[in-house]
Amino acid sequence: MAYWLMKSNPAFFGIDDLQRLGSDSWDGVRNYRARNFMRDDMRVGDKVFFYHSSAKPSGLAGIMTVSKESYPDHSQFHPEHRHYDPVATEDEPRWYMVDVTFEQKFTDVLPLRELKCIPALEDSLLLKKGCEQLTVIPLEPEHWRAIMNMAQVLSLLPDDVS
């Protein structure tokens, strides 16, 4: 099992939307590095932090699980869609997505400012200069554990979640 962090602007799709739906596709990723993570490395069962970006505050909102491995992102083929890519074809897609399933909503957002205070994250892509725009970020198991520990310290998880 691998660990990830995926960012979404909650004005478009947030943890509450995923909780209501139960499961959904994670489409619209238009960064090649992030696409490659989803296409090449994500597997069913991988754990993912849902990160609210462009929010006040930006930070972790909950946990989801990869429930379907990568497949072509349908939005790239539709001219009326905001994620349309005129170069992509069904025979040669450029963009991929995965499906995710809701697991847990934090009682409050774990803000980026708190994440920056976790020493174990100093070497993570999450805090690495130049990676701020990545919407899909791999995490090492020790990064996942450190974040979960911080969430428990801040009482963001119910007692029965670890």
Side-chain angles (χ1 to χ4, degrees), residues 3-149:
Y3 300 96
W4 304 91
L5 179 145
M6 296 171 79
K7 297 179 183 179
S8 179
N9 183 331
F12 293 106
F13 188 79
I15 191 75
D16 291 331
D17 298 305
L18 184 60
Q19 184 176 20
R20 180 176 44 78
L21 295 170
S23 186
D24 202 11
S25 58
W26 199 272
D27 65 355
V29 173
R30 296 299 184 264
N31 172 287
Y32 286 107
R33 192 171 182 194
R35 179 220 45 199
N36 293 348
F37 288 140
M38 287 183 10
R39 184 191 65 194
D40 302 336
D41 301 323
M42 284 190 163
R43 300 291 175 256
V44 170
D46 286 355
K47 295 294 185 185
V48 186
F49 284 121
F50 193 126
Y51 185 97
H52 280 176
S53 63
S54 303
K56 293 193 189 255
S58 290
L60 301 179
I63 300 169
M64 53 192 178
T65 301
V66 175
S67 52
K68 183 177 179 181
E69 292 180 18
S70 72
Y71 57 101
D73 182 337
H74 56 81
S75 66
Q76 68 189 311
F77 306 123
H78 302 290
E80 69 283 352
H81 199 281
R82 68 186 182 105
H83 294 299
Y84 173 64
D85 185 337
V87 178
T89 66
E90 300 220 11
D91 290 333
E92 293 187 35
R94 294 175 77 183
W95 306 107
Y96 289 79
M97 60 187 179
V98 297
D99 287 357
V100 292
T101 298
F102 175 83
E103 293 293 330
Q104 177 68 47
K105 179 180 174 181
F106 290 167
T107 58
D108 201 1
V109 171
L110 177 51
L112 179 60
R113 69 177 179 276
E114 295 287 340
L115 297 172
K116 289 179 177 180
C117 296
I118 302 174
L121 297 182
E122 288 176 357
D123 65 340
S124 72
L125 285 181
L126 174 62
L127 302 183
K128 187 174 184 181
K129 195 122 177 116
C131 292
E132 301 89 359
Q133 297 304 312
L134 273 181
T135 57
V136 178
I137 298 171
L139 296 171
E140 296 297 326
E142 60 268 19
H143 299 150
W144 181 271
R145 286 190 299 272
I147 292 169
M148 290 298 287
N149 286 340

